[in-house]
Amino acid sequence: MNKINLYNYEAYFLDYAEGNLDAVQMQELRLFLELHPELEKDLLDFQGCELLPIPSQITFPGKHSLIRDEEYHLTELEMLVIGKIENTLHASEELYLGIELANPSVQQELEIYRKTILKENKNILFSRKNRLKRHNKSMWIKYAAAAVSISIALFWFSSLQNSQLEQNLGEDKLPFPSAKEESKANPEQGIIMEVGKTSSPMQLADSRVEENLPTEVLERQEIQLDPTQSKSWKKLPMELDMEPIAKMDINPAILKLDVEVKPANEEYASIPDLLKDQVKQKILKNTVKFELPDDEKSKGFAFSLGGFELSHSSN
Amino acid sequence: MQFLFVRQKEAQKMTTSEYNQSVDLFSDKVFRFIIKNVRDKELANDIVQESYMRLWEQVDNIEMQKAKSWLFSTSYRYMIDLLRRDKRKGDMNEVNKLYMAHNNQYNDINEVLNHALNRLPQVQKSVVMLRDYEGYSYEEIAEITKLTASQVKVYIFRARKTLKDYLVSMETVL
């Protein structure tokens, strides 16, 4: 420590109050106070700062309330009895309790503890179950919306196809009169003869000459288009349960195509060119009716229109 | 060398049908558990309803097998929050007379036992009800109440002691 002066005298005063100054420092302090007697008062103030020891009699009055009872006032026997009704006893504890139960008071204690087991009152019911239940409304709405959309789309598409078909089959666009008109014009000949009547007699005669076909011997033949059997030129038996073409989606581009007739050979009869357009018309109207000459009536015939290929055997 | 491939089973979500089934199966039990604690019919109704609403929000994350304990856990914690907030705990002025009248259907022992049950601290009452009404193990109760299994055991033992002392004090009943 440096010699005492006006800048460090407080530290000397504090050490003096605590009794930490040696004899030399005490002598220096005494000389300093003789030079500065006005500071003696400060030294007395430092001496008054000494703390008194805390009396041991002062205690916390609430100490007992803080103490926790580790055993929560249960005796060992009570622990065993409660453990018995809780089914938590080990074998050794069960054995010990069994011995204790020879005492009627312990038995009575066990019976009382058994009565502490709560019984559920099932008459108390929650009355708002229906409010809690959920339903898949969103899924129903989705399914219904999808079904309605599909129905509308199908209806619209079907209507569009029918209108296009009707438009294309209109009388002004067809090269031949309709079957209805033909029937009116020559009702006694029926549909078979209508084929022959579709062109003028001159045209018909010309075509017969060209094709060298007999005109008298005609045999009624009737076929219906079956799109499921239209992929080859094979002879196919006619099926009575064929789907009508009116239910099919007909690409309007088909109407612009020409009917291709399978060339006549041993297997197939020839079909007059005159009938090509008639065949086309009849294909689109679902029914094709025409006649075969006698010498070819044992043969089949075949033709195609666009994606449809059709053959028929007279057998 | 033989390899064993174990395919981890994915947690199955609850379907709407299973959720509705949980309403039928567990809502009465949860309601009884809550109303015994709060002794207020409307409050119990609200707590059960809120619990199921939370279940519906979590329906994609909860399996049907765990729905019951999830409901008890959720309703218990929600009830504790409400009781702390509203300081309804132990307020006999709010006892619903209608549901206290259910004691008429009990025999004498049960009536006394219900009185004794209402004197228990909240935690003791809850754990002993979960134990006796639902048959949950200490571990399951600990999971529901967020206590340890040891604490649950201590609370149940204390509750049994209190209930037994109350029954003994009612000598006329016994």
Side-chain angles (χ1 to χ4, degrees):
Chain A
M1 185 180 289
N2 295 330
K3 269 194 157 184
I4 186 169
N5 54 43
L6 285 175
Y7 301 102
N8 67 359
Y9 72 92
E10 288 175 321
Y12 265 80
F13 286 0
L14 186 60
D15 284 339
Y16 172 76
E18 293 178 351
N20 294 332
L21 295 180
D22 56 22
V24 178
Q25 290 169 330
M26 287 290 286
Q27 184 62 28
E28 288 176 354
L29 177 61
R30 199 171 298 117
L31 292 172
F32 179 76
L33 288 174
E34 285 176 2
L35 292 172
H36 305 281
E38 74 278 5
L39 296 178
E40 276 187 40
K41 185 176 178 294
D42 289 351
L43 180 64
L44 292 175
D45 289 342
F46 273 100
Q47 287 178 318
C49 288
E50 186 180 1
L51 296 178
L52 297 172
I54 299 172
S56 58
Q57 295 85 352
I58 299 175
T59 56
F60 176 56
K63 190 191 302 180
H64 295 292
S65 65
L66 300 180
I67 293 174
R68 299 289 181 181
D69 189 351
E70 194 68 24
E71 297 298 326
Y72 43 90
H73 304 298
L74 287 177
T75 64
E76 185 181 1
L77 187 60
E78 282 177 322
M79 293 284 285
L80 289 173
V81 171
I82 296 174
K84 175 70 176 174
I85 64 168
E86 287 284 320
N87 290 323
T88 57
L89 293 186
H90 300 298
S92 57
E93 293 171 328
E94 287 274 6
L95 188 63
Y96 178 75
L97 181 63
I99 296 169
E100 291 293 326
L101 284 174
N103 186 341
S105 65
V106 178
Q107 279 188 10
Q108 187 182 2
E109 179 111 343
L110 179 61
E111 288 306 310
I112 296 172
Y113 268 111
R114 282 206 170 109
K115 290 174 183 173
T116 65
I117 296 174
L118 305 175
K119 292 175 182 62
E120 194 175 17
N121 180 5
K122 296 189 175 179
N123 293 321
I124 300 176
L125 300 174
F126 182 63
S127 58
R128 297 183 184 173
K129 285 196 187 77
N130 288 334
R131 292 190 199 178
L132 299 181
K133 291 186 178 178
R134 309 278 178 163
H135 303 285
N136 278 335
K137 286 182 180 175
S138 57
M139 294 300 291
W140 280 107
I141 290 171
K142 283 179 185 174
Y143 289 140
V148 169
S149 301
I150 291 170
S151 301
I152 291 173
L154 287 174
F155 178 76
W156 174 80
F157 188 69
S158 174
S159 301
L160 183 66
Q161 291 291 342
N162 287 339
S163 63
Q164 285 180 347
L165 183 60
E166 285 174 5
Q167 188 178 357
N168 288 324
L169 291 177
E171 296 305 323
D172 53 342
K173 292 187 178 180
L174 289 174
F176 304 103
S178 67
K180 192 175 181 180
E181 287 183 355
E182 289 169 0
S183 179
K184 283 178 183 174
N186 203 349
E188 67 279 5
Q189 292 182 339
I191 297 176
I192 306 306
M193 295 308 294
E194 287 165 17
V195 175
K197 289 282 184 181
T198 52
S199 299
S200 68
M202 183 62 72
Q203 287 174 316
L204 186 59
D206 290 343
S207 66
R208 282 170 180 161
V209 169
E210 287 174 8
E211 299 293 331
N212 195 21
L213 295 175
T215 56
E216 299 81 11
V217 185
L218 298 174
E219 181 172 336
R220 179 175 182 147
Q221 300 283 342
E222 180 173 331
I223 60 169
Q224 286 185 312
L225 281 181
D226 178 12
T228 63
Q229 299 184 359
S230 61
K231 294 300 179 187
S232 70
W233 285 97
K234 295 176 183 175
K235 286 200 323 185
L236 298 173
M238 185 168 64
E239 293 185 16
L240 298 175
D241 57 346
M242 292 175 177
E243 287 288 330
I245 198 169
K247 291 184 180 176
M248 296 168 48
D249 295 334
I250 298 175
N251 190 332
I254 292 174
L255 301 171
K256 298 175 183 175
L257 299 174
D258 290 326
V259 173
E260 294 176 15
V261 178
K262 182 77 175 176
N265 53 31
E266 293 179 359
E267 192 175 5
Y268 295 112
S270 61
I271 298 176
D273 288 338
L274 176 66
L275 294 179
K276 287 182 181 177
D277 285 331
Q278 191 71 6
V279 165
K280 181 177 178 179
Q281 181 186 2
K282 294 297 182 180
I283 285 175
L284 297 173
K285 286 191 173 183
N286 192 27
T287 302
V288 178
K289 298 173 185 176
F290 58 94
E291 303 141 352
L292 287 175
D294 258 346
D295 57 344
E296 291 193 77
K297 74 176 183 180
S298 60
K299 296 181 179 179
F301 53 85
F303 52 85
S304 68
L305 173 65
F308 301 112
E309 295 175 346
L310 180 67
S311 65
H312 174 66
S313 168
S314 60
N315 297 325
Chain B
M1 185 180 291
Q2 187 177 7
F3 293 96
L4 179 65
F5 295 95
V6 179
R7 186 176 180 180
Q8 188 175 5
K9 189 180 178 184
E10 291 183 3
Q12 292 180 337
K13 301 173 182 177
M14 279 182 78
T15 62
T16 304
S17 171
E18 287 176 330
Y19 167 84
N20 290 335
Q21 198 180 350
S22 77
V23 174
D24 288 331
L25 291 176
F26 310 134
S27 63
D28 289 334
K29 289 176 174 291
V30 176
F31 179 68
R32 282 194 280 269
F33 171 63
I34 296 297
I35 200 170
K36 285 279 185 182
N37 274 287
V38 300
R39 290 177 289 157
D40 182 327
K41 181 186 174 186
E42 287 308 311
L43 182 60
N45 274 328
D46 292 344
I47 291 171
V48 175
Q49 203 156 341
E50 174 67 21
S51 301
Y52 271 93
M53 193 175 294
R54 292 181 185 183
L55 175 64
W56 178 249
E57 289 169 357
Q58 296 292 320
V59 76
D60 288 341
N61 305 319
I62 298 170
E63 296 178 48
M64 178 62 182
Q65 290 78 5
K66 296 182 179 175
K68 183 183 173 186
S69 61
W70 192 94
L71 281 166
F72 271 100
S73 179
T74 302
S75 59
Y76 173 77
R77 288 175 214 166
Y78 184 54
M79 175 191 73
I80 294 295
D81 288 345
L82 287 182
L83 291 178
R84 284 175 182 162
R85 192 197 313 166
D86 299 341
K87 301 189 184 305
R88 291 175 187 268
K89 188 177 178 180
D91 188 351
M92 290 300 289
N93 292 329
E94 295 186 17
V95 172
N96 188 303
K97 295 263 171 53
L98 175 64
Y99 276 82
M100 289 302 285
H102 274 289
N103 292 341
N104 295 336
Q105 299 165 4
Y106 301 153
N107 57 36
D108 291 339
I109 287 292
N110 281 330
E111 189 175 351
V112 174
L113 203 55
N114 269 299
H115 282 290
L117 186 67
N118 290 332
R119 294 164 65 92
L120 292 178
Q122 181 66 62
V123 179
Q124 291 185 28
K125 189 198 290 190
S126 295
V127 295
V128 81
M129 281 198 295
L130 288 170
R131 179 73 171 167
D132 288 351
Y133 288 165
E134 305 304 326
Y136 279 128
S137 66
Y138 294 152
E139 289 75 18
E140 289 169 326
I141 295 171
E143 192 176 336
I144 290 171
T145 56
K146 292 294 174 194
L147 298 168
T148 64
S150 305
Q151 286 175 311
V152 170
K153 182 179 178 182
V154 168
Y155 283 135
I156 287 176
F157 274 53
R158 285 181 185 176
R160 296 265 182 239
K161 167 77 171 169
T162 306
L163 293 174
K164 175 252 181 186
D165 289 344
Y166 193 83
L167 291 177
V168 169
S169 69
M170 304 297 289
E171 291 179 359
T172 53
V173 174
L174 298 174

